[in-house]
Amino acid sequence: MTRRLRIRHTTKVSYAQAAVSSHNEVRMTPLTLPGQTTLDARVLVNPSTPTWSYWDYWGTQVTGFDLMEPHADLMITAVSLVETAPPGGLQAAPTWAEVAELVANSRLLEYAAPTSRTTMPDALVERARTAAAGLDPHETAVAVSSMVADHVRYIPGSTGVNTAAAEAWEQGAGVCQDIAHLTAGLLRALGLPTRYVSGYLHPDREAELHRPVEGQSHAWVEYWAGDWTGYDPTNRVRVDESHVVVGRGRDYDDVTPHKGVYRGVAGGPPEVTVEFTRVA
C-alpha cells in the first residue's frame, strides 16, 4: 500500500560570534521517481533571505542562499510531503559479463570507480570476494551488505562526517553513512556499479496517522543489476515505502544535506532534528 509522509528536517547552526556572511547549499528536497512522488516541498531559512534552486550533475535538487548581514544563528527548515509505494519485483539478474560490458560503455562507469571515502583495503576486498563467490549480482549485493552489517555495529555518534569507510570497519562501529560507504566500495571493487543514496527512513512502520515521530536522515545504496535496485545494508532490507530518496551520488560528498562557507568564528556542530508524520 502507498504511504503519504510529511517530513520536517530542521538544521540549526550557532556561531561563537555572529558570522559576517555565509553562502549555503541545501539538499533536502525529496525527488519524484517511480514509486515516489513529492507532492509539496519547501525550504525555509531564518534569517529570511531569497533562495534559488537548481538540479546538480547527479540529479539532486539544490536550494542555494546567501546571508550577507551578520547573524548569530542560522535555521534551515525543509518541509516536504511525499507519497511512496512498495517496490516491484526484482528483475532477473544480468550475467557479470553483461554488467562489465555496460559499465565500460556507459555512465555506469562513474559508479564503478572508488572514491576517497569508498576506497577499500585489498584484504577486505578479498574477504568480500570470498563471501560472494558463485553468486549473481542480486545475491552479491545482499551477501556483501550482510558481511558489512555483521562486522560494523550501528552506533549513533561513533563516527563523524569525515570518517573514512575503512576506519569504521577497523573499529567495528559506525553509522548508516559508514555502512553505506563500505557496502558501495566493496560492491564497486567486485564490479557492480553502486550509488550512495541520501534520504529518510520512517522509523515506525506501524505509526498512527497524524502522530509525529522523531527520526533522522538515512543513507543506503542502489546497485545496478539490469536496473537500479535499492538495498538498505544497515537494516538488511530492500528499500521500500518507508524510504524516501533525496539524492544519489558516488558518496556522501555528492549529496551532503547542508554545506557552505561563512566568515566568522567557528561554532559547535549543527543541531539536526527530523520529524515524520504519516498522513495517509
Side-chain angles (χ1 to χ4, degrees), residues 227-272:
D227 197 2
W228 289 109
T229 301
Y231 195 83
D232 182 346
T234 301
N235 294 293
R236 305 170 188 254
V237 296
R238 284 187 66 199
V239 169
D240 61 18
E241 64 274 21
S242 293
H243 293 78
V244 176
V245 176
V246 171
R248 300 133 152 173
R250 297 163 299 177
D251 59 27
Y252 175 83
D253 291 335
D254 289 335
V255 291
T256 307
H258 172 227
K259 63 182 177 181
V261 295
Y262 67 92
R263 292 177 58 207
V265 179
E271 301 174 26
V272 179

Side-chain angles (χ1 to χ4, degrees), residues 117 154 159-163 165 174-182 196 218-219 234 252:
R117 287 184 178 271
Y154 174 75
T159 57
V161 295
N162 294 317
T163 302
V175 295
C176 57
Q177 170 188 307
D178 304 302
I179 295 171
H181 278 150
L182 280 162
Y196 176 98
H218 194 50
T234 301
Y252 175 83

Side-chain angles (χ1 to χ4, degrees), residues 8-264:
R8 187 179 185 89
H9 182 167
T10 302
T11 300
K12 181 179 180 181
V13 181
S14 298
Y15 306 100
Q17 298 179 14
V20 176
S21 63
S22 66
H23 310 270
N24 302 267
E25 287 185 353
V26 173
R27 290 169 172 81
M28 299 180 185
T29 301
L31 299 173
T32 290
L33 308 162
Q36 174 178 307
T37 302
T38 299
L39 303 172
D40 183 44
R42 291 164 288 155
V43 176
L44 309 174
V45 180
N46 188 21
S48 180
T49 188
T51 64
W52 61 89
S53 296
Y54 66 93
W55 299 92
D56 69 14
Y57 176 79
W58 305 104
T60 305
Q61 184 171 336
V62 183
T63 300
F65 61 91
D66 297 330
L67 289 167
M68 304 309 294
E69 300 294 333
H71 51 287
D73 300 287
L74 168 61
M75 182 80 75
I76 304 167
T77 305
V79 182
S80 55
L81 179 64
V82 185
E83 189 169 88
T84 61
L90 286 177
Q91 289 191 4
T95 66
W96 286 104
E98 290 171 334
V99 172
E101 182 179 357
L102 282 165
V103 167
N105 295 286
S106 74
R107 190 181 167 187
L108 290 173
L109 185 61
E110 294 180 306
Y111 299 107
T115 67
S116 59
R117 287 184 178 271
T118 61
T119 298
M120 297 291 108
D122 291 342
L124 185 52
V125 173
E126 287 307 310
R127 183 167 174 173
R129 200 179 306 280
T130 299
L135 302 181
D136 70 25
H138 288 310
E139 295 166 337
T140 293
V142 174
V144 171
S145 295
S146 297
M147 187 190 88
V148 172
D150 285 344
H151 184 84
V152 181
R153 292 172 297 152
Y154 174 75
I155 301 179
S158 57
T159 57
V161 295
N162 294 317
T163 302
E167 294 177 56
W169 178 271
E170 287 299 323
Q171 69 181 33
V175 295
C176 57
Q177 170 188 307
D178 304 302
I179 295 171
H181 278 150
L182 280 162
T183 303
L186 290 171
L187 291 179
R188 290 171 188 168
L190 298 184
L192 196 60
T194 306
R195 302 193 288 208
Y196 176 98
V197 185
S198 174
Y200 304 106
L201 172 63
H202 193 293
D204 184 359
R205 294 173 180 274
E206 306 303 323
E208 299 174 16
L209 293 180
H210 309 294
R211 180 174 67 85
V213 176
E214 182 179 354
Q216 57 190 348
S217 56
H218 194 50
W220 59 94
V221 301
E222 290 177 350
Y223 63 90
W224 194 90
D227 197 2
W228 289 109
T229 301
Y231 195 83
D232 182 346
T234 301
N235 294 293
R236 305 170 188 254
V237 296
R238 284 187 66 199
V239 169
D240 61 18
E241 64 274 21
S242 293
H243 293 78
V244 176
V245 176
V246 171
R248 300 133 152 173
R250 297 163 299 177
D251 59 27
Y252 175 83
D253 291 335
D254 289 335
V255 291
T256 307
H258 172 227
K259 63 182 177 181
V261 295
Y262 67 92
R263 292 177 58 207

